[in-house]
Amino acid sequence: MTFTALELLKLRLLADGVRLGEDAAAAWHERFEGPLTLAEYATTSGISVALPGELYVNAPLSAGEALPQLRYDEGFVIVADGEVVPVEVVPVPSFHTRTQTDGYDGTVQPYTNYGVTHTDRCRVSPIGGCAWKCKFCDLPYEWGYRKKHPENLLNVILAAQDDPQAPARHVLVSGGTPRAPVPARPGRPAQDDEAWIDDVFAYLAEHSPLPVDVMLPPRRDLAHAEKLRRMGINMLSVNLEVSDPERTKVLAPAKAKVGREHTLNYIERAVEAFDVGFVQSLVVFGAAIEPLESTLRGVRDLAQRGCIPVLSPFRPHHLTPLADAPPASFEEIVEVLARSIEICEQAGTGVLPGPRCVACHHNTATLPDGSEFYAGAQDDLTARPCPVS
Ligand code: SF4
């Protein structure tokens, strides 16, 4: 499998980042009157640009002299190894300056505490922080656990749809994992944040003008995905993240308790409920996570079940225990992507490395190939009719 020079440039920007030229910084601020990045998750803290051929990439800002540079010369360009490549830049949404009153505690909070748009996808997070503590993820180390009012989330979606700088076309409901249900005890009522978040999913699916995708860990009940589909959720993301069970115990202990087999069984049922092409699973890769062969075993297990593997190169976040671990290298990204494409083709279930939405490729090792798998996603983003009334 060989990649074109532009495809390799995307993968290089994803791995090593981009140096910011002063002319580009000045042009960006003048045109968009805001920051270049909201410096959020490790995987989305860079700047998003699109190379020719709809090669979207989120490139971390970096200072290395040998790195490709973002410049401005009658338009934004990437200068790399003497070549000048025109790019479209994707600004942060205008709504990041807005505030609203929290529906639960009455405090005034920025819209960005509830959701953010990356390229054309608005991601809202019903839970701040997380009940789990994966060592590669900043959420539990950066934010305390709190539930957010569904109307606050809907306000962000409405603002994101009409945003003049970065209008959203679809919604991803993700963020932290809810706490496991706690039965009632004398003097203490039962608590069920899983049931609460399911109600939030249903509320957003009903009221959002944009199609709603959901990302969540597998539930104990294997029929749960069918319930989500009946609500009108458009696509589902159930992340394997780490493939090797022993490495999962180290890096994502709560996920290890759920178990690899149960996760794959939940995914299999989800594909039955949502159809091939509408269920995906993130796999975080890089030497700091697990050996590449183990990652590729996970990719194979997903592809054989008709689940789209989403290849997420590991980038360390400074607040996590993996702060000093090496990011996935350019060589690792190229190898994992090339071999994953082959694995998908061998599986023969019709999936390729995802996500299918081309603009959402920005922080993943994915390349559009002009096939219906990616092109068709544009139609599939418009909500499909619910199969069960
Ligand atoms: S479950 Fe998801 S949000 Fe929670 S710590 Fe793990 S990766 Fe982060």
Side-chain angles (χ1 to χ4, degrees):
M1 168 117 254
T2 52
F3 298 122
T4 67
L6 276 177
E7 289 170 340
L8 290 172
L9 177 58
K10 161 184 166 153
L11 301 179
R12 184 177 166 199
L13 290 166
L14 185 65
D16 300 335
V18 70
R19 203 158 45 102
L20 184 65
E22 283 178 15
D23 48 5
W28 194 300
H29 289 305
E30 185 184 336
R31 184 175 295 195
F32 304 121
E33 295 179 353
L36 285 83
T37 168
L38 295 177
E40 225 217 355
Y41 285 140
T43 52
T44 51
S45 62
I47 55 169
S48 291
V49 302
L51 303 169
E54 292 199 289
L55 293 166
Y56 282 86
V57 58
N58 181 279
L61 292 171
S62 200
E65 278 298 310
L67 288 175
Q69 192 175 29
L70 183 70
R71 301 289 308 270
Y72 187 85
D73 181 12
E74 298 181 359
F76 289 97
V77 294
I78 295 279
V79 181
D81 303 329
E83 298 289 323
V84 178
V85 179
V87 291
E88 298 286 331
V89 299
V90 185
V92 300
S94 307
F95 73 73
H96 78 271
T97 57
R98 291 173 64 176
T99 58
Q100 61 177 332
T101 302
D102 188 89
Y104 284 140
D105 67 14
T107 56
V108 175
Q109 303 217 15
Y111 266 46
T112 50
N113 279 5
Y114 303 89
V116 184
T117 301
H118 298 293
T119 61
D120 71 354
R121 183 182 66 195
C122 171
R123 179 181 49 72
V124 292
S125 309
I127 289 176
C130 185
W132 291 5
K133 221 167 184 179
C134 304
K135 295 201 172 101
F136 46 81
C137 174
D138 63 304
L139 272 187
Y141 298 96
E142 192 164 12
W143 304 97
Y145 185 92
R146 86 174 175 101
K147 293 188 282 188
K148 302 177 195 171
H149 199 286
E151 284 177 17
N152 290 122
L153 304 173
L154 182 62
N155 288 343
V156 172
I157 294 171
L158 297 175
Q161 182 188 26
D162 295 329
D163 194 88
Q165 286 199 162
R169 289 192 312 137
H170 58 137
V171 173
L172 175 66
V173 189
S174 73
T177 298
R179 286 179 177 142
V182 182
R185 287 195 195 144
R188 200 185 66 185
Q191 262 196 318
D192 193 342
D193 287 1
E194 288 185 351
W196 170 83
I197 205 169
D198 282 354
D199 288 345
V200 176
F201 295 152
Y203 173 85
L204 294 177
E206 183 182 351
H207 295 281
S208 167
L210 300 171
V212 173
D213 304 344
V214 161
M215 179 183 283
L216 83 175
R219 293 284 174 80
R220 195 166 296 280
D221 175 13
L222 289 178
H224 177 250
E226 290 151 30
K227 180 176 158 188
L228 295 172
R229 184 67 190 113
R230 280 197 300 273
M231 286 176 192
I233 300 300
N234 199 45
M235 295 189 189
L236 201 59
S237 194
V238 185
N239 301 336
L240 184 63
E241 272 156 352
V242 185
S243 177
D244 178 72
E246 292 306 313
R247 289 298 290 158
T248 309
K249 276 187 205 162
V250 174
L251 295 172
K255 182 156 275 194
K257 283 191 189 139
V258 173
R260 191 180 195 275
E261 197 180 333
H262 181 78
T263 300
L264 291 173
N265 288 342
Y266 183 96
I267 286 171
E268 208 167 307
R269 286 284 291 270
V271 173
E272 284 170 21
F274 278 75
D275 219 342
V276 171
F278 295 89
V279 180
Q280 66 177 33
S281 182
L282 259 73
V283 180
V284 186
F285 70 91
I289 301 297
E290 61 186 326
L292 291 194
E293 292 305 326
S294 174
T295 296
L296 294 170
R297 205 170 308 129
V299 169
R300 187 172 297 109
D301 286 339
L302 295 168
Q304 286 175 344
R305 287 166 173 79
C307 175
I308 302 161
V310 176
L311 309 169
S312 179
F314 169 68
R315 278 185 198 164
H317 189 283
H318 66 284
L319 292 176
T320 67
L322 294 186
D324 297 326
S329 68
F330 170 72
E331 290 75 17
E332 286 172 326
I333 291 176
V334 171
E335 182 176 351
V336 167
L337 175 58
R339 292 182 62 190
S340 294
I341 292 171
E342 286 169 12
I343 287 169
C344 287
E345 286 170 353
Q346 284 162 8
T349 51
V351 299
L352 287 170
R356 291 179 62 203
C357 171
V358 170
C360 292
H361 286 186
H362 67 103
N363 59 352
T364 62
T366 326
L367 300 169
D369 62 358
S371 71
E372 179 61 18
F373 181 75
Y374 299 112
Q378 310 314 315
D379 295 332
D380 291 338
L381 289 178
T382 55
R384 296 176 297 152
C386 183
V388 184
S389 57

